[in-house]
């Protein structure tokens, strides 16, 4: 089956049952001012005029999106735990760095609370109804700012963000004085609420900067992060082949989240957003909910996997009776997405799985078509696809791989990354660390 664009050019759920979070542990109430400031903290005025402990950073070490060199300088060490949060239109991605060592400057109660949070996060794979830890993506012994530790990857729906803030407040997470690094549109949308509810300042990073930073870091620290598909449409021969993009600049990045952003990345520090489209992951899910009764992304993908889009889409062969030879359009190319649905009989017979597959093919084709045009325009032959739309979605990845190869006559390659939707969250944590290095946005000793 060849189906791409029709011409060769162009209840947080999460933490909502956090009882186990505190089970048997006495969490200090640090929303009240401590009798005396702890070493390593200064008193910062809250809007209400009372004082709460805030971190005071004591060193500036080598930092950066490579995870920081292990220099002889004392590493930058904000109070634990270290989180990076990407608050997107559909999902919140939370990256948690668990350092291997506890440094002496962490006050005892911080260490205790950090341990409690750590235990809660790492001994569960689900949180409440909708929070999930992607344990298969966990990375051990990776460096951040001169510290080694484990990176954990957690996600929950953005619709649960207010619940998360509320529970963070009532259950002790917010009592820690660490800064929360955040990116994505929600870092701006929720800033005020987080300040009002939990009295935490967000350290905001731009989502594109964070994304590029995160790609660079994970590519550097995870040996087989990036790969392509060989023989994508032949199940018996299809295989994932590792392909490092570390020195493969320039490349196009297509971030398929709720909507789609396209970046041209020319080097570690030179990149720009070149295009975007509103037809993305949320379009797929929204239309599937509307047309098929699916309620979750996983359900929608499972339905699509069983369906046949040809019952829904009008193909070139439905119009030409075969290929459109003059312009090298094979007969099984989609000529008109959902084109059969004008026919009442076909409409009556269209099964939910066929509709789900047709939505997936439509959205994927559109993304592929746009990616191809952006690559051609920039004269770049590698296109890196990421974002959570690709999570458990081999169908789209293989369709993109095949189509990219076919329409470019083997010149363009579609590349994918294992950590799909987590690059922004990793990147914003690193951005924060490197600001400390640059001496921006941190309180000096
Ligand atoms: N468990 C899930 N719940 C909801 N959507 C999911 C889930 N898993 C994968 N997805 C898909 O991932 C998309 C969101 O991807 P991602 O998290 O990368 O973007 P986002 O940051 O929320 O969006 P944006 O960057 O546009 O603000 C959804 O629109 C959906 O297609
Ligand atoms: C709005 C963002 C950047 C939020 O991540 C993303 O959803 C997007 O790129 N949407 C497409 C917007 C456009 O049409 O360019």
């Amino acid at each position: 089956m060849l189906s791409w664009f029709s011409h060769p050019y162009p209840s947080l759920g999460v933490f909502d049952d956090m009882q186990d979070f505190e089970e048997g542990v006495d969490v200090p109430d640090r929303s009240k001012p401590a009798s005396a400031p702890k070493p390593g903290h200064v008193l910062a005025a809250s809007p209400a005029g009372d004082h709460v402990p805030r971190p005071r950073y004591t060193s500036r070490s080598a930092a950066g999106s490579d995870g920081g060199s292990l220099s002889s300088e004392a590493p930058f060490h904000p109070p634990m735990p270290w989180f990076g949060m990407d608050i997107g239109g559909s999902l919140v991605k939370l990256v948690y760095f668990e350092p291997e060592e506890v440094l002496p400057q962490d006050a005892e109660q911080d260490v205790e609370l950090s341990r409690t949070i750590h235990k809660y996060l790492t001994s569960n794979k689900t949180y409440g109804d909708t929070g999930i830890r992607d344990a298969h993506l966990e990375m051990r012994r990776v460096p951040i700012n001169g510290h080694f530790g484990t990176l954990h990857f957690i996600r929950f729906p953005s619709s649960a963000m207010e619940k998360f803030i509320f529970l963070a407040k009532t259950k002790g997470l917010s009592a820690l004085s660490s800064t929360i690094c955040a990116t994505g549109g929600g870092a701006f949308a929720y800033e005020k609420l987080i300040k009002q509810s939990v009295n935490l300042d967000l350290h905001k990073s731009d989502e594109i900067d964070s994304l590029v930073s995160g790609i660079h870091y994970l590519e550097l620290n995870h040996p087989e992060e990036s790969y392509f598909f060989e023989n994508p449409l032949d199940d018996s021969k299809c295989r994932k082949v590792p392909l490092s993009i570390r020195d493969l600049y320039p490349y196009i990045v297509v971030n398929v989240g709720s909507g789609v952003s396209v970046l041209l990345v020319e080097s570690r520090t030179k990149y720009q957003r070149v295009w975007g489209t509103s037809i993305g992951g949320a379009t797929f899910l929204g239309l599937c909910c509307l047309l098929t009764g699916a309620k979750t992304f996983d359900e929608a993908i499972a339905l699509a996997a069983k369906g046949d889009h040809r019952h829904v889409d009008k193909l070139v062969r439905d119009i030409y009776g075969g290929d459109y030879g003059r312009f090298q359009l094979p007969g099984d190319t989609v000529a008109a997405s959902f084109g059969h649905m004008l026919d009442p009989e076909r409409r009556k017979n269209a099964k939910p799985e066929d509709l789900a597959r047709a939505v997936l093919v439509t959205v994927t084709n559109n993304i592929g078509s746009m990616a191809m045009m952006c690559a051609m325009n920039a004269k770049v032959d590698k296109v890196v696809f990421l974002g959570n739309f690709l999570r458990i979605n081999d169908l789209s990845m293989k369709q993109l791989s095949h189509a990219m190869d076919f329409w470019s006559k083997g010149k363009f390659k579609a590349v994918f990354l294992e950590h799909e939707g987590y690059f922004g969250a990793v990147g914003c944590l690193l951005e924060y660390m490197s600001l400390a290095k640059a001496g921006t946005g941190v309180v000096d000793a």
Side-chain angles (χ1 to χ4, degrees), residues 310-314 319 335-350 355:
R310 293 171 300 187
H311 297 148
V312 176
D313 291 337
K314 193 168 273 203
I319 300 172
S337 298
F338 282 77
H340 281 325
M341 293 298 91
L342 277 67
D343 176 347
E345 196 57 27
R346 283 188 185 263
R347 208 156 55 224
K348 202 172 74 196
N349 292 334
L355 292 165

Side-chain angles (χ1 to χ4, degrees), residues 166 232 382:
F166 177 74
K382 280 155 309 272

Side-chain angles (χ1 to χ4, degrees), residues 86-93 155 157-158 184-185 207 255-260 280-285 296-298 386-392 420-421:
D86 178 0
I87 311 169
S90 301
L91 292 172
V92 178
K93 282 75 62 180
R155 62 184 150 86
S158 304
E207 64 176 287
N255 184 22
V256 194
S258 314
V260 185
T283 315
F284 164 68
L285 190 48
T296 65
F297 179 79
D298 295 41
L386 45 84
N388 275 319
F389 172 66
L390 299 175
R391 191 181 72 78
I392 59 163
E420 291 144 353

Side-chain angles (χ1 to χ4, degrees), residues 288-302:
C288 277
C289 292
L290 200 63
L291 296 174
T292 72
K295 291 196 171 51
T296 65
F297 179 79
D298 295 41
E299 252 175 68
I301 290 288

